[in-house]
């Protein structure tokens, strides 16, 4: 018997996941999206996997450009995560007007200076996975690595801090 999609979604909301900002620099603008389906895949070579909506513009642009930045967001970035998870959003630079950022060296993508970590990545392979694309990313550099800080989590459909409470709004 097939699993009910609503029950499946409710079950996965019980799992706390770290929240990242994926950005791609293309010829026209910077594109970004909030992602919480990120995992470490390999240390040699350094690979991470990111799940992206197959019909979304970020997956399309990443496939064309072939490189991106991935910032692990701190609890203070709940508003940033919300901005980048909304449909019909403007370019990434406009959404980051008051947030310190810089360009990653290899991809030229935006990474947040106050993120917990930032990875400069090259698309290794894209794998179709249902209504998503699993992007396997080779990490070419780590331009940001904080010594500590509280991570931003996604839990039960909301952004949360490490204790499961509401995340900061900075």
């Amino acid at each position: 018997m097939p699993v009910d999609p609503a029950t499946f979604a409710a079950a996965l909301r019980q799992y706390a996941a770290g929240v990242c900002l994926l950005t791609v620099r293309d010829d026209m603008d910077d594109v970004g999206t909030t992602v919480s389906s990120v995992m470490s895949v390999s240390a040699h070579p350094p690979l991470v996997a990111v799940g992206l909506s197959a019909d979304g513009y970020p997956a399309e642009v990443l496939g064309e450009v072939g490189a991106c930045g991935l910032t692990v967001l701190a609890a203070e970035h709940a508003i940033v995560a919300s901005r980048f998870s909304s449909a019909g959003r403007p370019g990434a630079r406009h959404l980051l007007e008051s947030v310190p950022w810089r360009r990653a060296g290899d991809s030229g993508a935006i990474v947040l200076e106050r993120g917990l970590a930032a990875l400069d990545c090259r698309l290794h392979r894209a794998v179709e996975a249902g209504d998503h694309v699993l992007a396997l990313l080779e990490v070419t550099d780590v331009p940001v690595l904080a010594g500590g800080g509280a991570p931003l989590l996604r839990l039960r459909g909301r952004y949360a801090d490490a204790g499961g409470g509401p995340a900061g709004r900075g």
Side-chain angles (χ1 to χ4, degrees):
M1 172 186 280
V3 175
D4 173 58
T7 302
F8 177 68
L12 292 183
R13 279 195 296 271
Q14 301 307 309
Y15 178 72
V19 182
C20 295
L21 174 64
L22 181 137
T23 57
V24 179
R25 182 179 190 178
D26 72 358
D27 292 334
M28 303 220 3
D29 200 358
D30 293 282
V31 175
T33 189
T34 302
V35 292
S36 58
S37 53
V38 177
M39 68 180 230
S40 172
V41 174
S42 169
H44 303 288
L47 296 172
V48 295
V50 176
L52 297 170
S53 178
D55 61 356
Y57 188 59
E60 178 184 334
V61 173
L62 177 59
E64 292 171 1
V65 172
C68 66
L70 188 65
T71 301
V72 179
L73 297 180
E76 69 182 69
H77 294 124
I79 292 291
V80 171
S82 292
R83 288 177 188 163
F84 281 92
S85 65
S86 301
R89 56 194 174 268
R93 287 174 297 199
H94 177 72
L95 296 176
L96 294 171
E97 284 179 355
S98 62
V99 179
W101 60 269
R102 62 179 137 148
R103 298 235 177 243
D106 291 333
S107 66
I110 291 172
V111 293
L112 303 190
E113 291 184 359
R114 291 182 14 201
L116 299 182
L119 308 176
D120 199 3
C121 303
R122 179 180 21 239
L123 181 62
H124 179 71
R125 181 178 307 145
V127 178
E128 292 183 21
D131 60 358
H132 277 64
V133 171
L134 188 63
L136 292 174
L137 305 172
E138 181 178 356
V139 179
T140 61
D141 191 20
V142 180
V144 174
L145 184 58
L152 180 62
L153 302 175
R154 183 92 174 143
L155 177 64
R156 298 185 184 115
R158 297 181 174 263
Y159 294 118
D161 63 19
R169 297 293 181 192

